[in-house]
Amino acid sequence: MSASVAAETAGRATPALWRRLPNSPVAMVGLAIVLFWVVLAIAAPLLPLASPNALDYMAMRQPFSSAKHWLGVDPLGRDLLSRIVWGGRTVLEVAPIAVLVAYTVGCTMGLLAGYYRGWVDAAISRASDVILSFPVVVLYVILIANIGPSAVNIVVAVVVASAPGIARIVRGLVLSLTHQEFVAAAYLRRESDVFVMLVELLPNCRGPLITDFCLRLGYTTITIGTLGFLGLGLPPPNPDWGGMVKQATSMITVFPHMALYPTFALVSLILGFNLLADGITELSQAD
Amino acid sequence: MALLSIRDLRVEYTTARGTVAAIPEFSLEIGAGESFGLVGESGCGKSTLIMAIMGYMGRNGRVARGEILFEGRDLVRAGAEELRKVRGGRIAIVYQEPSTALNPSMTVGRQLMEVPIAHSGASNADARAQAARVLADVHLPDPDSVMRRYPHQLSGGQKQRVVIAMALLANPALLLLDEPTTGLDVTVEAAVLDLLNELRQKYGTALFYISHNLGVIAQVCDRIGVMYAGKLVEDAPAADLFAQPRHPYTRGLLGSLPRPGADKRTHPLVAIPGVVPSAGRAPDSCGFLTRCALARPGLCDAAPVPLLATTPTHLVRCARWQDLPDSIAAADPAAASVAVPDSEIVMQARDVSRVFAVGKRRLIANDRLTLAAKRGHVLAIVGESGSGKSTFAKVLAGLDAATSGTLTVLGDDVATQPVRKRSATKVAAVQMVFQNPDGTLNPSHSVGYPLTRALKKFGIAHDRKTLDARVAALLDMVRLPPSLRHALPRQLSGGQKQRIAIARAFAGNPELLVADEPVSALDVSVQAAVINLLLRIQAEQQTTLVFISHDLGLVRYLADEVVVMYLGQVMESGPVASLFDPPYHPYTEALLSAVPVPDPTIRTTRIRLEGEIPSPLNVPPGCRFATRCPRKLGAVCETMPPPARDADNDHVIHCHIPLERLRQTEPVFRHAS
């Protein structure tokens, strides 16, 4: 008996998701792009870069690539490469924090709605519907215009806009999971509601949530770029990819590189997150 | 010439781990009009064989060798157009799940009419007439109204009749049936089996019936094949197979089934040890080698064993068939417990009702239930689905609360106390094992987690060392190796998951265990092992077991007392022996007559219930069973609640028919002389 148990057990084990990631080329490309930006962001203070806010008036006359400024300078004579690297650092700090906070709020809402149902569900779901009925950009503009542009307020805006979507996913999963017998078994151990929600239900939502997390990182990167472009991002002189594009638009016909380089940066990071999400979906469907 | 002739068939699947032979070698012949049954546990390759015949193997499957000749044509090498004509025309198939076989967005009539239109180019009017005729043949009342309905407006049994009707429309020469009654209630199953027998006479169609249930096969088939690890291991006329099973696997399957009249003390079930090897992993010589108690080294593992003829019609693939002992000893004799003495009552339900509010209407799931369970006894609650058994189980375990009545468990009334309101000791004292092995363990946590957690919550162990020791002891109690505690549920088989569920239920040393159909989702051989295990632990610990089941064969085997429920009420209750002999409640009689008996020498009274179990939203005012009762007396049954008639010795029948007349009923099971 024990021999057959061992054989059977060994034969059917599926390794954890992160171990299987190399099986998906798409996921690996996405991961490589994301890691490229992460490494640059972490290493930014160590790299021999000019200060992102240092003005080089002499470079203004010839703002294209040069030995001193590899990617050229922006309309104020600041080094583009340095601003892109430091700007990436901002995005990679703000986006994950915003998404994590949104997840905390969204999962809590979804768990409460799906678990308690009744009026709790009605209140949470209707409130979510109201928020989701706004076009996202309009919502951001209204929020930031009212509370003022800052890193903290970007996080607040992202949480308000994303949490209802996350709550909806979690609620749906919890609704079906609560009928499972392992939840009844937990009640028969006198587990508390909080324990059932966090330990029995939430871990079983992780499959769809991991994919959604990567996608949402991409969306949030777009959001931060959009807000910067609309002048609602980080207040100047902080390097901010969206803000850099905005500053360069007035002279885009003369000096297109000033807008193109930060746009490439933005696009590549978003693509990285999306490819990673695609790859993870592919791997979880192959199970 | 045989109608279907499978010769030397080999079916392979390409997987991430290489090529796997799901069927290494298979040969079979079925004659015109013959009824052939193929049995084996899940994973033996039965469904793969059907898929190969139909040519539906998917992208990664292929027939590597051999031929499937049907009416002289080789289906393996037939072109797509030729196959299309054969499928649905000359060969029809009925699957296990009738709800997925029908298109939910089309009326039943439209779907039936498609068959003659596609296969014989019939006109609309002609197709409609044919469809109405087969619907009448499968005994669906009012075929015209059925044709206008959508599948969701039909019950499971009705849908399966529609699927069978659809299969018969093209007048096929061969009907493939892949577990067609597995999801149905036992009463509905019996009616479908009757229907198949009748249609076979009428249409002269050959049947190829696949099932894991030998009892069902015995009702329908003349010849039975036993399949194991992708090979045919025995092939014999039905009567021969049951009278003289040759292959150890066949004997194992029969030993796993409770025989009519047998109980746990006289005839303990004998489970087959181990599990079916996954496709391609069985030994080449004899696939059953690793699980066979009678295997002899040097003989059984030497060379591939051919099919040997013991008589001209009885074939067996066993190298030792001539010198096998007559009986196989019980591998787990501990299951045979001694007779339990009469003891005190630990659970007493009095007038327990559970009524759900559905809008403004009342759904009566449990209606004034009165029943009791004694310490160390097994109380079985039986009835069709919709009888309210599971609702009562939930109320008892505290997952739901009764609307009214008293439910005394170990001295306290817990009728309106769900687990949150019960004390810790009371919760530990009443535990539950659930039906579905796949839902019973949290897929995110290791197998040891629910055990550790239960031990902690019930205050049995706190420090790591005691916990580890207790978890190991629990795993040992359910005969699983201690290393398994770190495995994840998806790495376990269904039987192993149910063992863990049993271990979890016993972690708090319960006084009362509620088991809601704990083995109905398992294969027969695994069922026997899990039942043996449950009964052994129950007897050792003197736990009271409330066993919910629809399987009367199993109930006869393991229960001490039985309660028969119908539409939320008790119809009959009493000691197990008294329930299976007259006097019967007419409902019990009908349930018993529907049991598929795995023994062709036993004759069963044929009683088939008309119609469906009424909705609990709209219960009949008098006797609940009056609308379907074949022995209804008249108006009194429809208007007056039946009296409780005390037959003797705690045996109570709720029926208007006088006891004297109930006593004159002929027994349902009789030996054919």
Side-chain angles (χ1 to χ4, degrees), chain B residues 250-306:
Chain B
T250 315
R251 292 179 173 200
L253 286 178
L254 285 168
S256 308
L257 285 171
R259 290 264 170 153
D263 66 41
K264 58 187 169 187
R265 290 179 251 287
T266 55
H267 292 89
L269 297 181
V270 186
I272 307 173
V275 290
V276 178
S278 52
R281 287 187 176 220
D284 281 338
S285 50
C286 167
F288 192 56
L289 184 67
T290 48
R291 294 173 75 190
C292 186
L294 306 167
R296 184 177 287 170
L299 174 68
C300 295
D301 53 5
V305 184

Short mmCIF file of all heavy atoms in Angstrom, two decimals, chain B residues 250-306:
data_model
loop_
_atom_site.label_atom_id
_atom_site.label_comp_id
_atom_site.label_asym_id
_atom_site.label_seq_id
_atom_site.Cartn_x
_atom_site.Cartn_y
_atom_site.Cartn_z
N THR B 250 -11.78 -10.13 -11.19
CA THR B 250 -13.24 -10.29 -11.20
C THR B 250 -13.72 -10.68 -9.81
O THR B 250 -14.70 -10.15 -9.30
CB THR B 250 -13.64 -11.39 -12.20
OG1 THR B 250 -12.91 -11.19 -13.39
CG2 THR B 250 -15.11 -11.33 -12.49
N ARG B 251 -13.00 -11.61 -9.20
CA ARG B 251 -13.37 -12.03 -7.85
C ARG B 251 -13.27 -10.86 -6.87
O ARG B 251 -14.08 -10.72 -5.98
CB ARG B 251 -12.44 -13.13 -7.38
CG ARG B 251 -12.62 -14.41 -8.13
CD ARG B 251 -11.62 -15.38 -7.56
NE ARG B 251 -11.79 -16.70 -8.10
CZ ARG B 251 -11.30 -17.77 -7.48
NH1 ARG B 251 -10.64 -17.64 -6.34
NH2 ARG B 251 -11.45 -18.95 -8.01
N GLY B 252 -12.24 -10.05 -7.08
CA GLY B 252 -12.06 -8.88 -6.23
C GLY B 252 -13.23 -7.92 -6.36
O GLY B 252 -13.76 -7.43 -5.37
N LEU B 253 -13.65 -7.68 -7.60
CA LEU B 253 -14.78 -6.77 -7.82
C LEU B 253 -16.04 -7.31 -7.16
O LEU B 253 -16.79 -6.59 -6.52
CB LEU B 253 -15.04 -6.60 -9.33
CG LEU B 253 -14.06 -5.74 -10.11
CD1 LEU B 253 -14.46 -5.72 -11.58
CD2 LEU B 253 -14.01 -4.32 -9.57
N LEU B 254 -16.26 -8.64 -7.30
CA LEU B 254 -17.45 -9.23 -6.71
C LEU B 254 -17.37 -9.20 -5.18
O LEU B 254 -18.36 -8.96 -4.50
CB LEU B 254 -17.64 -10.67 -7.20
CG LEU B 254 -18.15 -10.78 -8.63
CD1 LEU B 254 -18.02 -12.21 -9.14
CD2 LEU B 254 -19.61 -10.34 -8.72
N GLY B 255 -16.15 -9.40 -4.67
CA GLY B 255 -15.97 -9.39 -3.22
C GLY B 255 -16.16 -8.02 -2.61
O GLY B 255 -16.40 -7.88 -1.41
N SER B 256 -16.00 -6.98 -3.45
CA SER B 256 -16.15 -5.62 -2.96
C SER B 256 -17.61 -5.21 -2.82
O SER B 256 -17.92 -4.17 -2.28
CB SER B 256 -15.49 -4.63 -3.92
OG SER B 256 -14.18 -5.01 -4.19
N LEU B 257 -18.50 -6.03 -3.42
CA LEU B 257 -19.91 -5.66 -3.43
C LEU B 257 -20.65 -6.39 -2.32
O LEU B 257 -20.44 -7.59 -2.13
CB LEU B 257 -20.55 -6.08 -4.76
CG LEU B 257 -20.23 -5.27 -5.98
CD1 LEU B 257 -20.78 -5.99 -7.20
CD2 LEU B 257 -20.82 -3.89 -5.87
N PRO B 258 -21.51 -5.69 -1.61
CA PRO B 258 -22.34 -6.41 -0.65
C PRO B 258 -23.33 -7.29 -1.39
O PRO B 258 -24.00 -6.84 -2.32
CB PRO B 258 -23.04 -5.31 0.14
CG PRO B 258 -22.81 -4.04 -0.59
CD PRO B 258 -21.78 -4.26 -1.64
N ARG B 259 -23.39 -8.55 -1.01
CA ARG B 259 -24.35 -9.47 -1.64
C ARG B 259 -25.71 -9.29 -0.98
O ARG B 259 -25.79 -8.94 0.19
CB ARG B 259 -23.88 -10.91 -1.42
CG ARG B 259 -22.64 -11.23 -2.20
CD ARG B 259 -23.05 -11.91 -3.47
NE ARG B 259 -21.92 -12.03 -4.38
CZ ARG B 259 -21.85 -13.00 -5.28
NH1 ARG B 259 -22.78 -13.92 -5.36
NH2 ARG B 259 -20.83 -13.04 -6.11
N PRO B 260 -26.80 -9.57 -1.69
CA PRO B 260 -28.10 -9.42 -1.07
C PRO B 260 -28.20 -10.33 0.15
O PRO B 260 -27.81 -11.49 0.09
CB PRO B 260 -29.08 -9.87 -2.15
CG PRO B 260 -28.29 -10.03 -3.38
CD PRO B 260 -26.85 -10.02 -3.07
N GLY B 261 -28.68 -9.78 1.25
CA GLY B 261 -28.86 -10.58 2.46
C GLY B 261 -27.63 -10.67 3.33
O GLY B 261 -27.72 -11.10 4.47
N ALA B 262 -26.47 -10.27 2.81
CA ALA B 262 -25.26 -10.37 3.61
C ALA B 262 -25.11 -9.13 4.47
O ALA B 262 -25.54 -8.05 4.10
CB ALA B 262 -24.05 -10.53 2.70
N ASP B 263 -24.48 -9.25 5.64
CA ASP B 263 -24.19 -8.07 6.42
C ASP B 263 -22.75 -8.10 6.88
O ASP B 263 -22.02 -9.06 6.65
CB ASP B 263 -25.18 -7.89 7.57
CG ASP B 263 -25.06 -8.99 8.59
OD1 ASP B 263 -23.92 -9.39 8.92
OD2 ASP B 263 -26.10 -9.46 9.08
N LYS B 264 -22.34 -7.03 7.59
CA LYS B 264 -20.93 -6.85 7.93
C LYS B 264 -20.42 -7.93 8.86
O LYS B 264 -19.22 -8.17 8.92
CB LYS B 264 -20.73 -5.48 8.55
CG LYS B 264 -21.56 -5.23 9.81
CD LYS B 264 -21.44 -3.80 10.27
CE LYS B 264 -22.48 -3.51 11.36
NZ LYS B 264 -22.52 -2.10 11.73
N ARG B 265 -21.32 -8.59 9.61
CA ARG B 265 -20.84 -9.60 10.54
C ARG B 265 -20.67 -10.96 9.88
O ARG B 265 -19.72 -11.68 10.15
CB ARG B 265 -21.79 -9.69 11.73
CG ARG B 265 -21.70 -8.45 12.59
CD ARG B 265 -22.66 -8.48 13.76
NE ARG B 265 -23.75 -7.53 13.57
CZ ARG B 265 -23.63 -6.22 13.68
NH1 ARG B 265 -22.45 -5.69 13.96
NH2 ARG B 265 -24.65 -5.42 13.51
N THR B 266 -21.58 -11.29 8.95
CA THR B 266 -21.48 -12.61 8.33
C THR B 266 -20.57 -12.60 7.11
O THR B 266 -19.79 -13.52 6.91
CB THR B 266 -22.86 -13.12 7.91
OG1 THR B 266 -23.45 -12.13 7.06
CG2 THR B 266 -23.75 -13.33 9.11
N HIS B 267 -20.66 -11.54 6.28
CA HIS B 267 -19.88 -11.53 5.03
C HIS B 267 -19.15 -10.21 4.86
O HIS B 267 -19.62 -9.35 4.11
CB HIS B 267 -20.80 -11.70 3.82
CG HIS B 267 -21.43 -13.05 3.74
ND1 HIS B 267 -22.63 -13.34 4.34
CD2 HIS B 267 -21.04 -14.19 3.11
CE1 HIS B 267 -22.94 -14.60 4.10
NE2 HIS B 267 -22.00 -15.13 3.35
N PRO B 268 -18.04 -9.99 5.57
CA PRO B 268 -17.36 -8.71 5.40
C PRO B 268 -16.93 -8.49 3.95
O PRO B 268 -16.58 -9.46 3.25
CB PRO B 268 -16.16 -8.79 6.33
CG PRO B 268 -15.99 -10.24 6.62
CD PRO B 268 -17.33 -10.88 6.49
N LEU B 269 -16.96 -7.26 3.51
CA LEU B 269 -16.50 -6.94 2.15
C LEU B 269 -15.00 -7.16 2.07
O LEU B 269 -14.28 -6.94 3.03
CB LEU B 269 -16.79 -5.47 1.83
CG LEU B 269 -18.24 -5.01 1.80
CD1 LEU B 269 -18.29 -3.55 1.43
CD2 LEU B 269 -19.02 -5.84 0.80
N VAL B 270 -14.54 -7.60 0.92
CA VAL B 270 -13.11 -7.76 0.72
C VAL B 270 -12.68 -6.76 -0.36
O VAL B 270 -13.06 -6.88 -1.51
CB VAL B 270 -12.77 -9.19 0.27
CG1 VAL B 270 -11.27 -9.36 0.20
CG2 VAL B 270 -13.37 -10.20 1.22
N ALA B 271 -11.91 -5.78 0.04
CA ALA B 271 -11.47 -4.77 -0.92
C ALA B 271 -10.26 -5.28 -1.68
O ALA B 271 -9.53 -6.14 -1.20
CB ALA B 271 -11.12 -3.49 -0.19
N ILE B 272 -10.06 -4.76 -2.89
CA ILE B 272 -8.84 -5.06 -3.63
C ILE B 272 -7.79 -4.07 -3.14
O ILE B 272 -8.02 -2.87 -3.15
CB ILE B 272 -9.06 -4.87 -5.14
CG1 ILE B 272 -10.26 -5.67 -5.61
CG2 ILE B 272 -7.81 -5.28 -5.92
CD1 ILE B 272 -10.64 -5.41 -7.05
N PRO B 273 -6.63 -4.55 -2.69
CA PRO B 273 -5.63 -3.60 -2.20
C PRO B 273 -5.09 -2.73 -3.34
O PRO B 273 -5.12 -3.13 -4.50
CB PRO B 273 -4.53 -4.49 -1.62
CG PRO B 273 -4.72 -5.82 -2.29
CD PRO B 273 -6.17 -5.94 -2.59
N GLY B 274 -4.61 -1.55 -3.00
CA GLY B 274 -3.96 -0.70 -3.99
C GLY B 274 -4.93 0.00 -4.91
O GLY B 274 -6.14 -0.01 -4.70
N VAL B 275 -4.37 0.62 -5.93
CA VAL B 275 -5.18 1.37 -6.88
C VAL B 275 -4.84 0.95 -8.31
O VAL B 275 -3.80 0.34 -8.55
CB VAL B 275 -4.94 2.90 -6.75
CG1 VAL B 275 -5.50 3.42 -5.45
CG2 VAL B 275 -3.46 3.21 -6.86
N VAL B 276 -5.71 1.29 -9.25
CA VAL B 276 -5.47 1.00 -10.66
C VAL B 276 -4.22 1.77 -11.09
O VAL B 276 -4.12 2.97 -10.83
CB VAL B 276 -6.67 1.45 -11.51
CG1 VAL B 276 -6.42 1.21 -12.98
CG2 VAL B 276 -7.93 0.75 -11.06
N PRO B 277 -3.24 1.10 -11.71
CA PRO B 277 -2.06 1.85 -12.15
C PRO B 277 -2.45 2.85 -13.24
O PRO B 277 -3.37 2.59 -14.01
CB PRO B 277 -1.12 0.77 -12.69
CG PRO B 277 -2.00 -0.40 -12.99
CD PRO B 277 -3.16 -0.31 -12.06
N SER B 278 -1.74 3.98 -13.30
CA SER B 278 -2.07 4.93 -14.36
C SER B 278 -1.67 4.34 -15.70
O SER B 278 -0.86 3.41 -15.78
CB SER B 278 -1.39 6.27 -14.11
OG SER B 278 -0.02 6.07 -13.91
N ALA B 279 -2.29 4.87 -16.78
CA ALA B 279 -2.16 4.28 -18.10
C ALA B 279 -0.69 4.03 -18.46
O ALA B 279 0.15 4.90 -18.28
CB ALA B 279 -2.80 5.20 -19.15
N GLY B 280 -0.40 2.84 -18.95
CA GLY B 280 0.94 2.53 -19.40
C GLY B 280 1.90 2.10 -18.29
O GLY B 280 3.04 1.75 -18.55
N ARG B 281 1.45 2.13 -17.02
CA ARG B 281 2.36 1.79 -15.93
C ARG B 281 2.15 0.39 -15.38
O ARG B 281 2.82 -0.02 -14.45
CB ARG B 281 2.21 2.80 -14.79
CG ARG B 281 2.80 4.13 -15.14
CD ARG B 281 2.78 5.03 -13.94
NE ARG B 281 3.44 6.28 -14.26
CZ ARG B 281 4.24 6.92 -13.44
NH1 ARG B 281 4.50 6.43 -12.25
NH2 ARG B 281 4.80 8.05 -13.79
N ALA B 282 1.16 -0.33 -15.93
CA ALA B 282 0.91 -1.68 -15.45
C ALA B 282 2.00 -2.60 -16.00
O ALA B 282 2.52 -2.37 -17.08
CB ALA B 282 -0.46 -2.14 -15.91
N PRO B 283 2.35 -3.66 -15.26
CA PRO B 283 3.35 -4.62 -15.78
C PRO B 283 2.86 -5.25 -17.08
O PRO B 283 1.66 -5.44 -17.27
CB PRO B 283 3.44 -5.67 -14.67
CG PRO B 283 2.85 -5.04 -13.46
CD PRO B 283 1.89 -3.99 -13.93
N ASP B 284 3.80 -5.57 -17.98
CA ASP B 284 3.44 -6.16 -19.27
C ASP B 284 2.89 -7.57 -19.14
O ASP B 284 1.99 -7.97 -19.87
CB ASP B 284 4.67 -6.21 -20.19
CG ASP B 284 4.94 -4.85 -20.81
OD1 ASP B 284 3.98 -4.05 -20.86
OD2 ASP B 284 6.08 -4.61 -21.21
N SER B 285 3.45 -8.32 -18.18
CA SER B 285 3.10 -9.73 -18.08
C SER B 285 1.64 -9.89 -17.70
O SER B 285 0.82 -10.32 -18.50
CB SER B 285 4.00 -10.41 -17.06
OG SER B 285 4.00 -9.66 -15.85
N CYS B 286 1.31 -9.50 -16.47
CA CYS B 286 -0.07 -9.51 -16.02
C CYS B 286 -0.31 -8.16 -15.39
O CYS B 286 0.37 -7.80 -14.44
CB CYS B 286 -0.30 -10.64 -15.01
SG CYS B 286 -1.88 -10.49 -14.13
N GLY B 287 -1.25 -7.41 -15.92
CA GLY B 287 -1.48 -6.04 -15.43
C GLY B 287 -1.89 -5.99 -13.98
O GLY B 287 -1.63 -5.01 -13.28
N PHE B 288 -2.50 -7.06 -13.49
CA PHE B 288 -3.06 -7.08 -12.15
C PHE B 288 -2.03 -7.54 -11.11
O PHE B 288 -2.29 -7.54 -9.90
CB PHE B 288 -4.29 -8.00 -12.14
CG PHE B 288 -5.12 -7.90 -10.90
CD1 PHE B 288 -5.64 -6.68 -10.49
CD2 PHE B 288 -5.38 -9.03 -10.13
CE1 PHE B 288 -6.41 -6.58 -9.34
CE2 PHE B 288 -6.15 -8.93 -8.99
CZ PHE B 288 -6.66 -7.71 -8.59
N LEU B 289 -0.84 -7.90 -11.60
CA LEU B 289 0.21 -8.49 -10.77
C LEU B 289 0.41 -7.76 -9.45
O LEU B 289 0.46 -8.36 -8.38
CB LEU B 289 1.51 -8.46 -11.60
CG LEU B 289 2.75 -9.09 -10.99
CD1 LEU B 289 2.53 -10.59 -10.89
CD2 LEU B 289 3.95 -8.82 -11.89
N THR B 290 0.51 -6.40 -9.50
CA THR B 290 0.87 -5.64 -8.31
C THR B 290 -0.21 -5.63 -7.25
O THR B 290 0.04 -5.30 -6.10
CB THR B 290 1.18 -4.18 -8.71
OG1 THR B 290 0.12 -3.71 -9.55
CG2 THR B 290 2.48 -4.08 -9.47
N ARG B 291 -1.45 -5.97 -7.63
CA ARG B 291 -2.54 -5.92 -6.64
C ARG B 291 -3.07 -7.31 -6.31
O ARG B 291 -3.99 -7.45 -5.52
CB ARG B 291 -3.69 -5.06 -7.17
CG ARG B 291 -3.33 -3.61 -7.33
CD ARG B 291 -4.44 -2.85 -8.01
NE ARG B 291 -5.57 -2.60 -7.12
CZ ARG B 291 -6.73 -2.12 -7.55
NH1 ARG B 291 -6.93 -1.87 -8.83
NH2 ARG B 291 -7.70 -1.89 -6.69
N CYS B 292 -2.49 -8.33 -6.93
CA CYS B 292 -3.04 -9.67 -6.81
C CYS B 292 -2.44 -10.39 -5.61
O CYS B 292 -1.23 -10.52 -5.50
CB CYS B 292 -2.77 -10.45 -8.09
SG CYS B 292 -3.57 -12.05 -8.12
N ALA B 293 -3.33 -10.85 -4.71
CA ALA B 293 -2.86 -11.57 -3.52
C ALA B 293 -2.38 -12.96 -3.89
O ALA B 293 -1.68 -13.61 -3.13
CB ALA B 293 -3.99 -11.65 -2.50
N LEU B 294 -2.76 -13.43 -5.08
CA LEU B 294 -2.47 -14.81 -5.46
C LEU B 294 -1.34 -14.92 -6.48
O LEU B 294 -1.06 -16.00 -6.98
CB LEU B 294 -3.73 -15.46 -6.05
CG LEU B 294 -4.98 -15.37 -5.16
CD1 LEU B 294 -6.22 -15.72 -5.95
CD2 LEU B 294 -4.82 -16.29 -3.97
N ALA B 295 -0.70 -13.79 -6.78
CA ALA B 295 0.35 -13.82 -7.79
C ALA B 295 1.50 -14.71 -7.33
O ALA B 295 1.87 -14.72 -6.16
CB ALA B 295 0.85 -12.40 -8.04
N ARG B 296 2.04 -15.49 -8.26
CA ARG B 296 3.15 -16.37 -7.91
C ARG B 296 4.37 -15.92 -8.70
O ARG B 296 4.33 -15.90 -9.94
CB ARG B 296 2.79 -17.81 -8.26
CG ARG B 296 3.84 -18.81 -7.84
CD ARG B 296 3.41 -20.21 -8.14
NE ARG B 296 2.35 -20.64 -7.21
CZ ARG B 296 1.67 -21.77 -7.40
NH1 ARG B 296 1.88 -22.53 -8.44
NH2 ARG B 296 0.75 -22.12 -6.52
N PRO B 297 5.44 -15.54 -8.00
CA PRO B 297 6.63 -15.07 -8.70
C PRO B 297 7.16 -16.15 -9.63
O PRO B 297 7.07 -17.35 -9.31
CB PRO B 297 7.63 -14.78 -7.57
CG PRO B 297 6.83 -14.76 -6.31
CD PRO B 297 5.60 -15.56 -6.53
N GLY B 298 7.70 -15.75 -10.76
CA GLY B 298 8.26 -16.71 -11.68
C GLY B 298 7.24 -17.20 -12.69
O GLY B 298 7.58 -17.56 -13.81
N LEU B 299 5.97 -17.20 -12.27
CA LEU B 299 4.93 -17.64 -13.20
C LEU B 299 4.17 -16.43 -13.75
O LEU B 299 4.08 -16.21 -14.95
CB LEU B 299 3.96 -18.58 -12.47
CG LEU B 299 2.73 -19.02 -13.28
CD1 LEU B 299 3.13 -19.92 -14.43
CD2 LEU B 299 1.71 -19.71 -12.39
N CYS B 300 3.69 -15.60 -12.78
CA CYS B 300 2.82 -14.49 -13.19
C CYS B 300 3.60 -13.33 -13.80
O CYS B 300 3.05 -12.54 -14.55
CB CYS B 300 2.01 -14.01 -12.00
SG CYS B 300 0.86 -15.25 -11.41
N ASP B 301 4.89 -13.18 -13.44
CA ASP B 301 5.63 -12.03 -13.94
C ASP B 301 6.59 -12.42 -15.07
O ASP B 301 7.46 -11.66 -15.44
CB ASP B 301 6.39 -11.33 -12.81
CG ASP B 301 7.27 -12.30 -12.03
OD1 ASP B 301 7.33 -13.48 -12.45
OD2 ASP B 301 7.87 -11.89 -11.04
N ALA B 302 6.43 -13.66 -15.59
CA ALA B 302 7.39 -14.14 -16.58
C ALA B 302 7.12 -13.57 -17.98
O ALA B 302 7.95 -12.87 -18.53
CB ALA B 302 7.36 -15.67 -16.62
N ALA B 303 5.97 -13.87 -18.51
CA ALA B 303 5.68 -13.46 -19.89
C ALA B 303 4.25 -12.96 -19.95
O ALA B 303 3.44 -13.28 -19.08
CB ALA B 303 5.84 -14.68 -20.82
N PRO B 304 3.92 -12.15 -20.97
CA PRO B 304 2.54 -11.70 -21.10
C PRO B 304 1.58 -12.88 -21.12
O PRO B 304 1.81 -13.88 -21.82
CB PRO B 304 2.54 -10.97 -22.44
CG PRO B 304 3.93 -10.50 -22.61
CD PRO B 304 4.81 -11.55 -21.97
N VAL B 305 0.54 -12.80 -20.32
CA VAL B 305 -0.41 -13.90 -20.22
C VAL B 305 -1.46 -13.75 -21.32
O VAL B 305 -2.05 -12.69 -21.47
CB VAL B 305 -1.10 -13.88 -18.83
CG1 VAL B 305 -2.01 -15.08 -18.67
CG2 VAL B 305 -0.06 -13.84 -17.73
N PRO B 306 -1.69 -14.81 -22.13
CA PRO B 306 -2.73 -14.72 -23.16
C PRO B 306 -4.11 -15.00 -22.56
O PRO B 306 -4.21 -15.46 -21.43
CB PRO B 306 -2.34 -15.82 -24.13
CG PRO B 306 -1.63 -16.83 -23.30
CD PRO B 306 -1.00 -16.11 -22.14
#
